[in-house]
Amino acid sequence: MGSAALLWGTVLLACSCGPGPPRAGAAPLLAATYVLDDANGLGREFDGIGAVSGGGATSRLLVNYQEPYRSQILDYLFKPNFGASLHILKVEIGGDAQSTDGTEPSHMHYENDENYFRGYEWWLMKEAKKRNPNIKLIGLPWAFPGWIGKGENWPYDYPDITAYYIVSWILGAKQYHDLDIDYVGIWNERAFSSKYIKLLRYTLDKNGLEQVRIIASDRLWEPISFVMMIDSELHGVVDVIGAHYPGTKTVPNALLTGKKLWSSEDYSTFNDDVGAGCWARILNQNYVNGNMTSTIAWNLVASYYEELPFGRCGLMTAQQPWSGHYKVESPIWITAHTTQFTQPGWSYLQVDGHLEGGGSFVALTDGLGNLTIIIETMSHNHSKCIRPPLPNFSVVPQRATFYLRGSFCMVETLQVWHSRLDFESGNSSLFKQLHPINVWKGRFSLDLNVDEVYTLTTLKTGRKCAYPEPPPPQPFPSNYKDDFNIGNPPFSEAPNFADQTGVFEYFINASDPGDHVFTLRQVVVQRPITWVSDADQTISVIGNFKWVNMTVTCDIYIEKPRDGGVFIAGRVDNGGIYVRNTKGVFFWVFADGTYRVTGDLAGKKILMKGLAGVRDNAWHTLTLNIQGNSASGLLNGYPLWENVTVSSPGNGWAALGTRSFEFAQFDNFHVEAC
């Protein structure tokens, strides 16, 4: 009797996985069958899953992590069969302008200036390649230095200059970093120019970059698809139509072009379990509903101050380099359900992909007998992305029976990986390996509950790897100093400063015989071709957004005569795409010998003003002290103004910056706060 019961249990396991048959008296599960067959050919070629670093400055804090934590974070993102195991890394081609959460420096601030070691995207691409030599690299500009537009906020008036600028970045990646860029875009979420795209293709080919493919237009499906249909030359030079936040849908013209269709930016959602549900749903349904063969998440890692726009909208979180703390969020393991069991070059099977009870599945093959099936049953309220709005739909528990046909009819066993997002208890189960399924005569069944992800695969290479817990979180140090005295810095930016308008770089002041040889310098002197409305002033923020009382001290050096000026600030309440509206307590000094105290970055809310005696091309020390509702300021250690009432904002970062796009230097920055 015991042997018979054991045999019956084995048969059930061979045919089913999940909670098993419904109990007596329970309502029967909705049941449906699905056929996976390659006998009549395959579907579209799979191009990979990726993420964006940039748009902007989203990896800003990552570079400041100490080892081993920085390498651990990178392993979770890029190392094959470890964590997210990403196939694609898309980076911003820095344009010196605000592009969501900060500015990223250009390789050409000015027309006669080239430097391929600014910023951290070069480093990040090399780290990704180190872990996965096959990872695909994409470059895309959000903004451009002002010289490209010759004073106009437009990059297409002189398309030959713009093409030269972009191709220089690609050539520099190879020459200085041995990086081969695979794809390049046009202008993120802004207008495109057919003339420019054609000229870019010509310039790429002229420089031996025939292998670099062009993505357009990184905005919507239209009008690029329509224009490609009526312009055969444009059709010939665009390799991929990339749309942003397509809501898993495409349009007829895009399909008619016959081009690869990508969701070239998607997700942008807070990385809790609802964000994971969003990600699980669109990873499947972008293909099921929209024939998209790649989905790229914005952003790679939430490594920027959380109070900036779209805080924690990354696949994982790493925003405390001072403590070493980071968190492997649930979207990492949702990513692994696809990336660890597929590769670019695999093909989707021709199958509808909609589950009868709601949810979806995709099936892919390498053409060599391997098969991977990814199933998601995300419910509406637990899979909302930040955009676009999600139409109503329902998902119910169901039993799915799959029939394997064609070259898969001989498959006997499938490995099973499972995630369950538990929104009631909060006790989600992520990327767990279950017992394999034995396929019985080309058939198996699976009981699916709501808010689950399954991967069924012939591959045995999947891994859920982990490092020891990182250090616990700690607030930003309340006593923080930086003298910028680094002769050969690994990165062009000083740690923890997050530029919001302008670019602040390490600088060697060779003409200074005294204590200010190594400084921090604001280097953008012409308003860039912007992506959003950058402030008219430059500003870099640092510290803990919760700071209330603080003393900020910094040596300053105004380089611009007559109307130059700089500031230090506290309780700074804004940044990113909202930087023009930033408020706080700003202590300004100007080359004409005056000073001002304002309640905003724009300088419109004047709290105090007077004479200071500051002049350009000389070092001075500013001190700003904010305690409760009162602020005071010192110049070179002596009181300049005091007892200024500051009622709001009540808290915020420290900051420094300049009156306009102008050269200025800073040294011996120090903040004490609480």
Side-chain angles (χ1 to χ4, degrees):
M1 181 67 180
S3 298
L6 180 61
L7 177 61
W8 175 240
T10 303
V11 172
L12 278 176
L13 180 61
C15 299
S16 178
C17 184
R23 300 185 309 274
L29 289 176
L30 184 153
T33 60
Y34 311 93
V35 178
L36 304 181
D37 191 351
D38 61 351
N40 294 319
L42 300 172
R44 291 188 172 224
E45 182 179 321
F46 174 66
D47 294 307
I49 306 302
V52 182
S53 171
T58 53
S59 304
R60 175 67 193 91
L61 298 175
L62 173 62
V63 299
N64 306 140
Y65 271 81
Q66 298 299 307
E67 296 295 349
Y69 310 115
R70 189 171 71 176
S71 288
Q72 292 173 4
I73 295 164
L74 293 165
D75 285 349
Y76 280 117
L77 294 168
F78 299 118
K79 192 173 181 179
N81 298 311
F82 191 94
S85 307
L86 291 168
H87 304 134
I88 297 170
L89 172 61
K90 181 177 182 177
V91 305
E92 177 175 352
I93 300 175
D96 292 342
Q98 174 60 242
S99 51
T100 299
D101 289 296
T103 66
E104 298 204 24
S106 169
H107 60 290
M108 298 178 73
H109 293 317
Y110 332 111
E111 191 168 2
N112 59 352
D113 161 73
E114 288 186 66
N115 185 325
Y116 297 93
F117 295 92
R118 294 186 183 121
Y120 39 83
E121 303 296 4
W122 313 106
W123 165 83
L124 185 61
M125 287 188 284
K126 287 188 288 187
E127 292 295 323
K129 278 284 188 182
K130 185 189 303 181
R131 288 161 174 79
N132 178 8
N134 296 320
I135 197 167
K136 301 296 184 183
L137 300 177
I138 305 174
L140 175 66
W142 269 249
F144 302 86
W147 62 269
I148 285 178
K150 297 187 177 182
E152 298 296 325
N153 197 42
W154 191 248
Y156 300 138
D157 286 342
Y158 308 94
D160 54 331
I161 294 177
T162 306
Y164 161 76
Y165 170 79
I166 294 298
V167 170
S168 295
W169 184 85
I170 298 171
L171 291 171
K174 183 62 176 178
Q175 180 178 350
Y176 295 100
H177 302 286
D178 196 27
L179 291 168
D180 292 306
I181 304 301
D182 298 285
Y183 298 89
V184 66
I186 308 307
W187 188 12
N188 183 76
E189 295 177 358
R190 297 296 180 261
F192 70 90
S193 160
S194 298
K195 179 180 178 181
Y196 167 70
I197 296 173
K198 297 169 188 176
L199 186 58
L200 177 62
R201 178 73 270 164
Y202 171 79
T203 309
L204 287 166
D205 294 346
K206 183 180 176 182
N207 285 275
L209 297 170
E210 296 88 354
Q211 78 283 359
V212 179
R213 301 302 174 197
I214 292 178
I215 305 173
S217 65
D218 279 304
R219 190 177 186 184
L220 304 171
W221 295 120
E222 299 289 14
I224 185 68
S225 298
F226 173 76
V227 177
M228 287 173 62
M229 292 291 291
I230 62 173
D231 185 338
S232 60
E233 185 181 357
L234 181 66
H235 185 277
V237 299
V238 173
D239 299 281
V240 177
I241 302 178
H244 287 195
Y245 308 97
T248 76
K249 304 292 178 61
T250 188
V251 298
N253 278 339
L255 292 167
L256 288 171
T257 65
K259 296 292 184 178
K260 289 178 177 291
L261 308 180
W262 288 9
S263 179
S264 51
E265 184 180 313
D266 219 325
Y267 177 65
S268 289
T269 301
F270 193 79
N271 59 20
D272 58 7
D273 280 0
V274 173
C278 152
W279 188 229
R281 178 175 54 79
I282 64 177
L283 281 177
N284 268 17
Q285 294 193 26
N286 276 346
Y287 183 75
V288 171
N289 297 333
N291 289 278
M292 288 165 262
T293 54
S294 177
T295 297
I296 300 175
W298 188 89
N299 58 68
L300 174 72
V301 52
S303 207
Y304 46 100
Y305 292 118
E306 187 167 338
E307 294 82 5
L308 288 168
F310 305 101
R312 269 186 60 186
C313 286
L315 296 180
M316 64 179 292
T317 303
Q319 57 194 22
Q320 286 198 5
W322 49 88
S323 72
H325 180 75
Y326 65 85
K327 189 174 181 184
V328 184
E329 310 283 4
S330 47
I332 288 288
W333 302 117
I334 294 301
T335 310
H337 271 283
T338 299
T339 54
Q340 289 203 22
F341 309 105
T342 60
Q343 289 297 325
W346 284 43
S347 294
Y348 288 96
L349 299 192
Q350 296 186 56
V351 62
D352 177 82
H354 293 98
L355 293 170
E356 290 291 328
S360 66
F361 70 93
V362 293
L364 302 99
T365 181
D366 62 355
L368 302 174
N370 283 308
L371 174 67
T372 291
I373 308 162
I374 304 117
I375 303 168
E376 60 82 20
T377 57
M378 294 300 117
S379 59
H380 179 275
N381 290 344
H382 296 154
S383 67
K384 290 181 179 178
C385 301
I386 198 168
R387 57 185 177 272
L390 184 59
N392 286 324
F393 63 86
S394 62
V395 181
V396 299
Q398 57 195 294
R399 172 165 293 176
T401 299
F402 290 87
Y403 289 88
L404 306 187
R405 299 286 186 259
S407 63
F408 311 119
C409 67
M410 301 304 292
V411 171
E412 296 180 349
T413 305
L414 291 169
Q415 307 299 311
V416 182
W417 291 81
H418 174 254
S419 291
R420 175 178 51 83
L421 300 175
D422 189 334
F423 294 93
E424 293 183 4
S425 70
N427 187 27
S428 295
S429 172
L430 296 168
F431 201 59
K432 291 186 67 173
Q433 188 168 20
L434 305 182
H435 291 295
I437 288 180
N438 295 321
V439 181
W440 182 260
K441 295 184 178 180
R443 171 184 177 273
F444 68 91
S445 295
L446 197 64
D447 288 350
L448 306 172
N449 276 321
V450 177
D451 294 327
E452 291 188 319
V453 182
Y454 279 95
T455 299
L456 313 170
T457 180
T458 55
L459 299 180
K460 298 181 180 180
T461 51
R463 298 286 184 275
K464 184 178 182 180
C465 297
Y467 285 113
E469 281 293 307
Q474 297 287 340
F476 192 94
S478 59
N479 191 334
Y480 185 83
K481 297 181 180 180
D482 196 335
D483 60 12
F484 313 116
N485 289 349
I486 301 180
N488 187 26
F491 299 99
S492 58
E493 304 99 332
N496 304 319
F497 281 91
D499 303 347
Q500 300 302 308
T501 294
V503 172
F504 295 76
E505 296 180 348
Y506 281 117
F507 180 64
I508 299 178
N509 189 5
S511 63
D512 190 299
D515 299 329
H516 301 290
V517 175
F518 299 100
T519 67
L520 187 70
R521 191 189 200 200
Q522 201 293 120
V523 297
V524 178
V525 296
Q526 182 181 8
R527 187 175 183 83
I529 297 173
T530 57
W531 187 68
V532 293
S533 188
D534 292 28
D536 297 320
Q537 308 76 19
T538 73
I539 178 172
S540 187
V541 302
I542 189 170
N544 186 339
F545 189 77
K546 296 179 180 179
W547 281 345
V548 176
N549 300 319
M550 67 186 79
T551 300
V552 183
T553 300
C554 191
D555 298 340
I556 60 93
Y557 187 89
I558 301 171
E559 296 188 50
K560 186 179 182 182
R562 293 181 298 279
D563 57 351
V566 303
F567 69 82
I568 60 173
R571 293 190 187 173
V572 174
D573 75 340
N574 229 327
I577 56 178
Y578 310 115
V579 66
R580 287 186 73 86
N581 301 320
T582 297
K583 295 178 176 59
V585 183
F586 293 82
F587 177 15
W588 307 77
V589 291
F590 304 104
D592 65 3
T594 64
Y595 79 90
R596 286 189 181 185
V597 183
T598 68
D600 59 346
L601 175 63
K604 295 178 180 178
K605 185 180 179 182
I606 299 174
L607 306 176
M608 178 79 83
K609 64 180 180 178
L611 295 174
V614 170
R615 66 185 190 275
D616 59 88
N617 291 297
W619 283 97
H620 303 275
T621 301
L622 302 184
T623 301
L624 170 64
N625 184 31
I626 309 172
Q627 300 293 326
N629 292 328
S630 181
S632 60
L634 284 73
L635 174 64
N636 299 325
Y638 295 95
L640 181 63
W641 53 274
E642 57 187 359
N643 298 325
V644 169
T645 300
V646 289
S647 56
S648 66
N651 57 276
W653 297 293
L656 48 77
T658 66
R659 180 182 198 171
S660 64
F661 290 96
E662 61 185 271
F663 287 128
Q665 295 178 56
F666 303 85
D667 203 359
N668 298 318
F669 177 85
H670 181 200
V671 58
E672 289 185 90
C674 60

